Amino acid sequence: MSFLKFSSFLKSNLSFSVCRTISSRTKFTKPPKKQFGFAAKIKKYKKPLFEPEEIVLPSKVPVIPKQKFDYFLVLDIEATCDYPVNVDPQEILEFPVVKVNAETFMPEATFHSYVRPTVVPELTDFCTALTGIIQEMIDQQPDFKVVFQNFLEWLEKEGVLKPGVKFAFVTCSDPDLEYFFPLQCQISGIEIPDFMKRWINVKRSFCDIPPYTYPTNIMTMMKFCDLTPEGDLHSGIDDALNLVKVLRDLAERGLVFDYNGSKE
């Protein structure tokens, strides 16, 4: 697998000129052999530049700065997969979203559902080993069209969609809303809401504060923030809750979050 030059990544994706990368894996334990629409963009993040010095983030500020949003919706999608030849198409298996108050940075509510895939309903051993999701956990679950309708009703109940309320989706990386979600919407015949076409990629947000380091997975972010991860890696709900901790930690260090990812 070839890599795009890291310099082109800086020019096209970040608003500053200095960003160091710590090498680690993405959502896949091993890179999928088959290429996807987001594959080239993942490659841009994988140029291994090892840095021997310790990474030190800024000290925490006395008061969390006022944010541009009223709520953050922290999302982490898990999808069907296989190796060395990936599942085609990849369908959403787990859809968790944590509603976070943008003033206190505390979780206020959670939407969480497993999803029954319809095109390739049988999970692979690789997928189960990676995500911890077994066949019996999804066989009786609703398909994504039903799950997404339930999610929209949850957003209404939580008051997120009221006029004047500002909210932003937050992901660990771009593929969740740039690839997996749009693909699933295409499969399920769902129109993508405008409010899910932009998001905050927390790994890019890391680059907005000294020492301008770009970490390539959630475990590295938690290490930089001196946080203890809870639950299982690649469990969607556990990853989302851990990402909430990172979000709060960065805000406590003075970061004001803004959109930095979008579906063109």
Side-chain angles (χ1 to χ4, degrees):
M1 180 181 289
S2 62
F3 294 98
L4 297 178
K5 291 184 178 179
F6 191 59
S7 59
S8 66
F9 161 68
L10 293 177
K11 292 178 182 178
S12 61
N13 289 278
L14 300 175
S15 59
F16 50 84
S17 60
V18 179
C19 183
R20 292 174 291 183
T21 300
I22 305 300
S23 176
S24 57
R25 63 192 174 100
T26 63
K27 294 283 283 185
F28 296 99
T29 299
K30 296 179 181 179
K33 184 175 181 181
K34 185 164 183 176
Q35 299 298 299
F36 299 97
F38 68 89
K41 296 188 178 182
I42 287 181
K43 293 175 191 176
K44 289 189 284 189
Y45 307 153
K46 295 296 290 179
K47 183 69 174 177
L49 300 177
F50 294 96
E51 301 266 346
E53 72 267 23
E54 182 181 359
I55 300 299
V56 179
L57 296 180
S59 300
K60 294 189 177 182
V61 298
V63 179
I64 294 177
K66 181 174 177 56
Q67 300 294 314
K68 299 181 178 182
F69 305 98
D70 300 308
Y71 299 103
F72 296 107
L73 299 176
V74 181
L75 167 72
D76 189 90
I77 288 172
E78 299 300 329
T80 55
C81 55
D82 200 5
Y83 180 82
V85 179
N86 218 330
V87 178
D88 186 15
Q90 288 185 271
E91 299 174 80
I92 292 178
L93 285 176
E94 186 180 4
F95 192 78
V97 181
V98 182
K99 175 191 174 189
V100 177
N101 186 301
E103 183 176 353
T104 65
F105 279 85
M106 298 302 295
E108 290 190 346
T110 300
F111 178 88
H112 180 228
S113 180
Y114 291 104
V115 185
R116 175 175 50 84
T118 58
V119 180
V120 185
E122 296 296 322
L123 299 184
T124 65
D125 291 341
F126 175 84
C127 185
T128 293
L130 181 68
T131 66
I133 299 173
I134 61 175
Q135 194 69 44
E136 289 77 6
M137 292 170 63
I138 61 167
D139 281 342
Q140 303 305 315
Q141 297 299 320
D143 63 25
F144 188 75
K145 193 167 187 176
V146 174
V147 170
F148 191 64
Q149 182 59 43
N150 293 340
F151 174 63
L152 293 178
E153 292 174 2
W154 177 81
L155 290 178
E156 290 278 4
K157 183 186 73 172
E158 290 298 321
V160 176
L161 299 182
K162 288 182 179 180
V165 174
K166 298 178 181 179
F167 65 94
F169 281 84
V170 177
T171 67
C172 183
S173 58
D174 290 328
D176 290 77
L177 289 177
E178 188 174 49
Y179 175 74
F180 291 112
F181 178 69
L183 175 60
Q184 185 64 64
C185 286
Q186 181 181 355
I187 294 170
S188 302
I190 296 171
E191 184 176 351
I192 301 173
D194 288 340
F195 57 74
M196 297 188 76
K197 293 179 180 178
R198 293 194 297 169
W199 58 88
I200 296 168
N201 177 343
V202 175
K203 290 189 291 189
R204 287 202 186 105
S205 299
F206 246 91
C207 288
D208 291 337
I209 60 175
Y212 309 113
T213 300
Y214 188 89
T216 53
N217 71 14
I218 192 169
M219 300 303 290
T220 307
M221 287 193 284
M222 299 199 82
K223 179 181 178 181
F224 288 174
C225 294
D226 195 24
L227 296 170
T228 301
E230 296 184 11
D232 298 318
L233 183 64
H234 299 299
S235 159
I237 185 61
D238 290 345
D239 283 352
L241 291 171
N242 282 325
L243 193 58
V244 170
K245 294 181 180 181
V246 174
L247 193 75
R248 181 168 60 245
D249 186 272
L250 294 179
E252 291 173 346
R253 298 178 193 274
L255 184 60
V256 176
F257 293 92
D258 202 356
Y259 291 117
N260 54 26
S262 66
K263 176 66 175 174
E264 299 176 356

